[in-house]
Amino acid sequence: MLGRTTLNTSKTSSSLLNSIGNSIKGEVNDLIGDIARKLNIHDFYSAHILDYCEGYYTPGPIANQTVDPDKNVTRCSNQTAMFHFDPSTVIQKELKPGISLADLHWPSAIKDAVHAVELASKAMFVIYCIGAAATGLALVGAFLGVFLDGRAAPLINNALASLALLSLGIASAIVSAIMSKVVHEVNKHGNEIGVSASKGKTFLEFILISLESPHTFVIMGLKAVHFGGGNIGRGFVAEKLHLAGFEVLFVDVMDSIIEQLQKTKEYTVTEIGGEGEKVNKITNYRALNSKTHEADVIEEIASADLVTCAVGPNILKFIAPVIGKAIDKRTASKPLAVIACENAIGATDTLAGFIKDSKNTPQDRLESINDRASFANSAIDRIVPGQDPDAGLNVKIESFYEWVVDKTPFAKEGHPEVSAIKWVDDLNPYIERKLFTVNTGHAAAAYYGHARGKHTIHEALQDSEINKIVHDCLSETSHLIVKKHGITVDEQKAYVDKIVKRISNPYLKDVVERVGRAPLRKLSRKERFVGPASQLAESGDKVDALLGAIEQAFAFLDVKDDEESAELSKILKSTEAKEVVTKVCGLEESHPLFSKIVPIVEKVQKSTK
């Protein structure tokens, strides 16, 4: 009835016409039209939210016709708020004096059905007004959000858009119910007197558009630029930013990745856990190649809310120049949030150091750089196993995740609103606990598993000896974490048990060579083995299990498709053991751990000759 629902009074009983010979049907049709006009009844009545229109078909009504005639609207009522269309009342007013609906055998059930939905019609109008107003305000807020800063604007805009979505959804449900109810009753009881009704398509299309609009307004004001189109970038960082309402711009130098992202409008992230799989669809993203479109990338970063990266610690120096240029060009009053999402301690500080280098930022602009950018360190934890060869952009990833970010750099302006992020005042405990538990245990299982011919981390940890060795390594790192960060023994033990269970997940199918790759980085000074072992050695604590893992890491040589393992092999063949420890592990000869690693290097060198 609402939204261009059409009441057709020119329909005639098909049983009557079907009994009339074809030769006289035309005359009967003309007679039907003449009778309707003599009664002052129109062929159709179209009901809308604020008014109704009436008119005649051109050509006139034809029984059993297969082609819709054109509608010739002759009059529309005045538009009024809280409008309610009552066909019984309208037709009764149009009938000639002395003729009533009772004379036409007008079914009382039609009138009853229309009256039954009158209250719902008025409620629908009020709720639609609320939804329309909230949608308009959300649109204005999204436009202003491009120029305004602070957290209040996106929060208010999100609330308005949510109210609009809820209001329009409820009102649309009421409309659909009213249309279905009235059309059903008219067609059920009006057939015998030649009256029918149908739902209008135009209004249904408007409903779908109106429900989508508020969501569009929300995402207009939030943009994140993410460096790195790999599995962590697509499957973790971009997924969480997408769910937080950000448009994500991927930046990479790999032509194949960028082209795929540009050609594909959506991809999936499948979260794998003990409870099964959950699939998230990722949309609302774009992609640019910083190698060929650097100027465009700079413009995008300069107007973004957030910059993240997952490119590997060794690549940070290569993305710093373009970020530095964009920060220098930024004019918005709110600083750009910069968060490096790397498996390394202080990765954002490292990136910031490169950005602030005189080659990337003019020295006279360094004093004011914090007015244009806020740099926050983070700790990320999520396992991305090997992917199916035909996966394309789709990513399979562990369901568990942890993304912890230092909130102190955002004390003045407020941090970006990303629900997946845990904002903390002191990040160091989270960084070291994660790096010295998750990464230490994962890598130890990989190196020992590789040495013993295991295919996956799950298979390695099914080996009781490897399982015990991994627990011994984590016992040593746990001693450091408890003593240094004040975490209780029971809390750390529960964390260790959870981590071992996670990395043992058979559904991840995590290949040991993938986990062990890049041994040079994993053997460096602040990393998962030398990092905790050096601190423990300084205080005279036990490091035997960690030294065993370090030996297995040095023995991870010439692994296929791993450039660092090939480079490590060359270093061991051409360099004295002490120099290797200094070069690879970053330890000076006076450090108490230095003398413990030198014999390990000599042992590996001897075994590889």
Side-chain angles (χ1 to χ4, degrees), residues 141-208:
F143 176 75
L144 294 177
V146 178
F147 306 99
L148 299 179
D149 299 307
R151 288 196 294 164
L155 284 174
I156 294 172
N157 189 40
N158 185 65
L160 287 170
S162 299
L163 175 62
L165 184 63
L166 179 63
S167 301
L168 293 174
I170 294 173
S172 299
I174 294 174
V175 169
S176 297
I178 292 173
M179 291 170 67
S180 298
K181 171 71 174 176
V182 175
V183 168
H184 173 74
E185 292 299 325
V186 169
N187 290 332
K188 178 180 178 180
H189 300 287
N191 185 60
E192 292 302 320
I193 63 167
V195 177
S196 66
S198 61
K199 299 177 185 178
K201 295 180 180 179
T202 304
F203 191 75
L204 293 175
E205 292 170 356
F206 167 76
I207 290 174
L208 296 176

Side-chain angles (χ1 to χ4, degrees), residues 436-437 440-441 469-479 496 500:
F436 298 164
T437 306
T440 300
I469 290 169
V470 170
H471 273 92
D472 288 344
C473 288
L474 299 183
S475 177
E476 292 176 357
T477 59
S478 292
H479 177 70
V496 168
V500 173

